[in-house]
Amino acid sequence: MPYSTDMNILAIETSCDETALSIIKTSEDNKNFKVLSDIVISQIEIHAEYGGVFPALAKREHAKNLGPLLRQALIEAHLYTESITTLTNKDEVKIILEREPELFDGLTLLLETIEQPDIDMIMVTHGPGLAPALWVGVNFARALSLFWDIPIVPVNHMEGHITSILLKKDYLHQEMALQLPTDFNFPMISLLISGGHTQLVLVKDWGEYEIIGETTDDAVGEAFDKVARMLDMKYPGGPKISKAAAAGQENELIQLPRPMLHSKDYRFSFSGLKTAVRYLIVDLKKQELYSDQIIADIAREFEHAVTDVLIKKTSQAIEEYAAQGLIIAGGVSANDFISASFRNLTEKYGIELYLPEKRMCGDNSLMIATAGFIGMMYKKNTTISQRELVALSNLKL
Ligand code: KG4
Ligand code: ZN
């Protein structure tokens, strides 16, 4: 469809344990946008008890959060006007939200008391992620699409992480929040490290990706979380391991393997590393050597082991594909030791390193708006109708 200028776009993200909504306003030339509102509600506290994300609980929380979050997003974007509105299509929406009755009630209550807001399009994560969690966002998008008679652009969550580096430093206060996508030299390599994924991606251009390698078992963030649990740290363990590691020292008693370091391909494996930590802890406890300092030393060695493998495989990819730049994204990219190690690496190769702003490392919906926008403006992705939209938990780039 031909895109009008000056559109307001609502972006939705519910693939894991963050419920997020953003509203962006596209510029007149359609080459950039301004952020009107950007909200993330983290369910970390709720899942901490379970030591990881519990899908049924994530789904319930998303369904509970989305109505109030939409109200807040519209208010922040100055698109909220109270008024009595009659909703058509209510029966059809009720069927769409059959499994999220609480969301149906919250949503209709809100929409019946406001004017139809000036939103022209919806962008929503349709995969990859936890199926029950994804479906809430997808069905929410479908409901809004029906109520407001506007189209939907489905967005790949991993493309969201990649394009998160396009947001300028103070994106919340910029008329043009986006760094020009034309400022980049291709090909680039992107290392995506999150709780659910560990992937090396060849970025041929925006929207043109090829996965060259991924983990055969645990994702990096998952390994951080599991090891943290063994060290009695609360979920999510990544930031806690990273904090403990800063006080760690080299210790000859604590040596961990670097799995797949010499495998010559781009596959990763972190489950053996996690098991090695488990045995190490048992052994140290048996020898009555377990202490806070030892915990810090283990955290440090674990962080080093993970980083060594990530650096080795990424260097190999940079060389093989003559990459002009390196993008590191996903929740684990918030790790200071890992990002500093990649800074050294890219300096050695004389290529650019692109990291998201800290606030953009974890899951959020602004990265979904960014990926959707790039896809639409530069790659001419098409919009779809709500009927065609489904959640795809194993969606590939
Ligand atoms: O991208 P993300 O927010 O969610 C997924 O899509 O999975 O990533 C979350 C992951 C969690 O495993 C968390 O422990 C990890 O990112 N993480 C970190 C750090 N901050 C978050 N891992 C290591 N060091 C950190 N500083
Ligand atoms: Zn993610």
Side-chain angles (χ1 to χ4, degrees), residues 5 11 21 39 49 137 148 229 240-241 272 283 298 320 347 354 385 397:
T5 55
L21 288 186
I39 315 169
E49 248 179 80
W148 295 342
R229 211 173 162 188
K240 285 157 198 109
I241 294 247
D283 202 39
I298 297 172
E320 182 177 342
E347 273 167 16
Y354 303 103
S385 89
L397 263 174

Side-chain angles (χ1 to χ4, degrees), residues 100-365:
E100 293 92 21
E102 184 182 10
L103 181 55
F104 175 79
D105 293 342
L107 183 61
T108 48
L109 194 70
L110 169 67
L111 300 188
E112 277 169 341
T113 53
I114 59 169
E115 248 174 39
Q116 175 164 343
D118 181 14
I119 302 271
D120 306 277
M121 188 179 278
I122 298 166
M123 292 178 174
V124 60
T125 304
H126 69 139
L130 302 169
L134 282 167
W135 272 111
V136 184
V138 158
N139 286 337
F140 181 64
R142 296 177 63 209
L144 289 175
S145 166
L146 257 176
F147 278 144
W148 295 342
D149 191 24
I150 57 174
I152 301 174
V153 175
V155 177
N156 182 309
H157 179 86
M158 302 315 286
E159 185 168 11
H161 278 303
I162 294 177
T163 59
S164 67
I165 59 111
L166 282 168
L167 283 147
K168 287 182 190 165
K169 215 174 169 47
D170 49 349
Y171 56 87
L172 285 177
H173 307 106
Q174 297 264 354
E175 276 306 310
M176 307 280 174
L178 210 58
Q179 213 173 312
L180 272 191
T182 44
D183 287 348
F184 294 79
N185 294 320
F186 296 95
M188 292 198 274
I189 291 293
S190 177
L191 174 68
L192 300 176
I193 39 181
S194 71
H197 291 86
T198 300
Q199 291 181 332
L200 263 172
V201 179
L202 175 64
V203 183
K204 297 171 191 165
D205 198 344
W206 298 115
E208 275 181 53
Y209 311 107
E210 183 188 328
I211 298 173
I212 57 170
E214 53 193 326
T215 183
T216 51
D217 42 56
D218 292 353
V220 178
E222 190 181 353
F224 265 93
D225 296 337
K226 287 178 176 169
V227 166
R229 211 173 162 188
M230 293 176 205
L231 299 172
D232 291 320
M233 298 169 187
K234 258 188 153 180
Y235 173 83
K240 285 157 198 109
I241 294 247
S242 141
K243 196 163 166 231
Q249 289 161 4
E250 200 168 341
N251 181 337
E252 61 178 20
L253 289 176
I254 295 163
Q255 283 174 17
L256 293 169
R258 270 70 178 152
M260 316 278 268
L261 192 67
H262 302 296
S263 70
K264 298 247 179 321
D265 54 23
Y266 297 115
R267 286 182 305 149
F268 299 91
S269 165
F270 294 104
S271 96
L273 180 57
K274 168 194 73 189
T275 312
V277 175
R278 176 171 294 129
Y279 287 128
L280 184 62
I281 293 173
V282 171
D283 202 39
L284 290 163
K285 281 186 175 166
K286 215 185 279 168
Q287 295 182 58
E288 295 184 3
L289 288 170
Y290 202 64
S291 65
D292 283 349
Q293 185 57 49
I294 287 283
I295 290 174
D297 297 351
I298 297 172
R300 177 186 179 276
E301 171 66 0
F302 171 75
E303 205 171 63
H304 276 70
V306 168
T307 309
D308 285 351
V309 178
L310 295 177
I311 290 273
K312 172 82 190 302
K313 304 268 166 172
T314 309
S315 319
Q316 195 179 316
I318 290 173
E319 287 178 20
E320 182 177 342
Y321 294 95
Q324 308 290 303
L326 175 66
I327 297 173
I328 313 279
V332 185
S333 63
N335 183 290
D336 291 331
F337 180 74
I338 293 179
S339 55
S341 305
F342 277 105
R343 194 158 297 286
N344 288 338
L345 184 78
T346 47
E347 273 167 16
K348 188 182 103 190
Y349 283 117
I351 63 172
E352 285 295 328
L353 173 68
Y354 303 103
L355 279 164
E357 286 298 302
K358 275 257 162 132
R359 190 168 176 270
M360 293 292 290
C361 288
D363 289 346
N364 64 84
S365 50

Side-chain angles (χ1 to χ4, degrees), residues 6-11 21-27 33-39 72-80 117-120 167 171-175 177 359 366 369:
D6 243 327
M7 280 194 297
N8 289 333
I9 301 172
L10 172 73
L21 288 186
S22 314
I23 300 175
I24 60 167
K25 182 179 205 63
T26 62
S27 61
F33 62 73
K34 179 178 166 46
V35 181
L36 299 185
S37 71
D38 181 36
I39 315 169
Q72 192 185 336
L74 292 172
I75 292 172
E76 277 181 19
H78 302 290
L79 297 173
Y80 183 92
D118 181 14
I119 302 271
D120 306 277
L167 283 147
Y171 56 87
L172 285 177
H173 307 106
Q174 297 264 354
E175 276 306 310
R359 190 168 176 270
L366 199 50

